[in-house]
Amino acid sequence: MTSPSGRRMTARAIADALREQIRTGVLPPGHPLPTSRELADKFGVTTKTVSAGIDTLKAEGLVVGEQGGRRRVRESKPITWNLTCFENGRRRDSRAMDDWSAAITAAGRTPEQQVVVRSEPATADVAAWLEIPVGAPVITRTRMRSVDGQPFQLSTSSFPATIASGTLLEEQGDVAVPGGILKTIGHPQQHVRDEIGIRMPTPEESERLQLPVGTPVAQHVRIGYGDTAPVRVMVTIAPGDRHILVYELDVSE
């Protein structure tokens, strides 16, 4: 079969044509794609070829499927996460919300955090970041962070039990205090180190963050150091379609 222009159309060519329409705004975010039959008639191919082309766009994260078989251009309103300002010395915590929620609120969005606290042995990665033995007890605070009702981040902070046990860090729920909990309990962070990796999500991350097929995530690791040793490591999984990561650095001499 051939297209109206006489050129034989393949699934790849259909994906290229639809991708260009998405890029130029002919098919804007949230807009439904034409039906498979409509596209098949337009390009002069079978509906099977159309489906293969659309599957390519799904894998690229440009198109999402809906119940009933309808496909739609992915719609996302990302947040700008300024990691230079996040939890720096001029923290925005209050008793009503922590630094992250304060930043989201200041951007005109609505934050929500669901927090689960556990005591568990340190994994190899956590032990290396915190400079403690593998299996040493840690207190973890895992946050599901949502913006405007949509899951945006899955963030787990781990603290050595030697500083966290018997403190606010063991309290269930979304606890916030001015200056941050670590400062309140006498173990403020003096400096931090960030590590950022890009990868595909695990099945659990995809399910909890409600990720469309083909969505990569950033794994942001922030290690907070006290006077002599690390006091916290925070690992945040941030979907690539929902975040703009910003750093602002002073490069003057």
Side-chain angles (χ1 to χ4, degrees), residues 185-241:
I185 67 173
H187 295 280
Q189 299 177 108
Q190 303 295 343
H191 68 278
V192 299
R193 169 187 168 88
D194 281 5
E195 301 173 2
I196 299 176
I198 308 298
R199 60 173 173 79
M200 297 307 293
T202 66
E204 180 186 3
E205 291 165 351
S206 291
E207 180 179 359
R208 296 192 65 184
L209 291 166
Q210 301 176 16
L211 301 179
V213 174
T215 305
V217 296
Q219 177 176 288
H220 172 258
V221 179
R222 172 161 290 187
I223 307 162
Y225 295 84
D227 291 328
T228 59
V231 293
R232 181 188 74 165
V233 59
M234 178 179 64
V235 181
T236 301
I237 307 303
D241 64 332

Side-chain angles (χ1 to χ4, degrees), residues 27 32 37 43 58 100 122 129 131 162 184 203 217 222 248:
L27 289 172
R37 173 48 56 196
F43 291 113
K58 285 183 177 179
W100 182 85
W129 287 320
E131 300 176 13
T162 52
T184 299
V217 296
R222 172 161 290 187
E248 298 175 278

Side-chain angles (χ1 to χ4, degrees), residues 29 37 81 83 88 98 131 133 195:
R37 173 48 56 196
W81 194 19
L83 290 162
N88 68 8
D98 66 6
E131 300 176 13
E195 301 173 2

Side-chain angles (χ1 to χ4, degrees), residues 12-76:
R12 179 175 178 179
I14 291 170
D16 289 344
L18 293 173
R19 187 186 301 107
E20 180 64 13
Q21 291 183 36
I22 293 171
R23 186 189 69 81
T24 58
V26 174
L27 289 172
H31 196 277
L33 267 61
T35 66
S36 294
R37 173 48 56 196
E38 290 170 340
L39 289 171
D41 291 343
K42 176 180 178 180
F43 291 113
V45 298
T46 65
T47 55
K48 182 177 179 179
T49 300
V50 168
S51 294
I54 292 176
D55 284 345
T56 297
L57 299 181
K58 285 183 177 179
E60 294 174 1
L62 295 175
V63 170
V64 296
E66 298 179 339
Q67 289 186 346
R70 194 70 168 174
R71 282 73 60 100
R72 189 178 298 273
V73 179
R74 174 183 288 182
E75 186 174 24
S76 180

Side-chain angles (χ1 to χ4, degrees), residues 119-120 130 132 136-139 158-167 170 231:
S119 176
E120 53 194 31
L130 291 177
I132 59 177
V138 294
I139 303 301
S158 299
F159 308 86
T162 52
I163 69 170
S165 294
T167 73
E170 287 192 305
V231 293

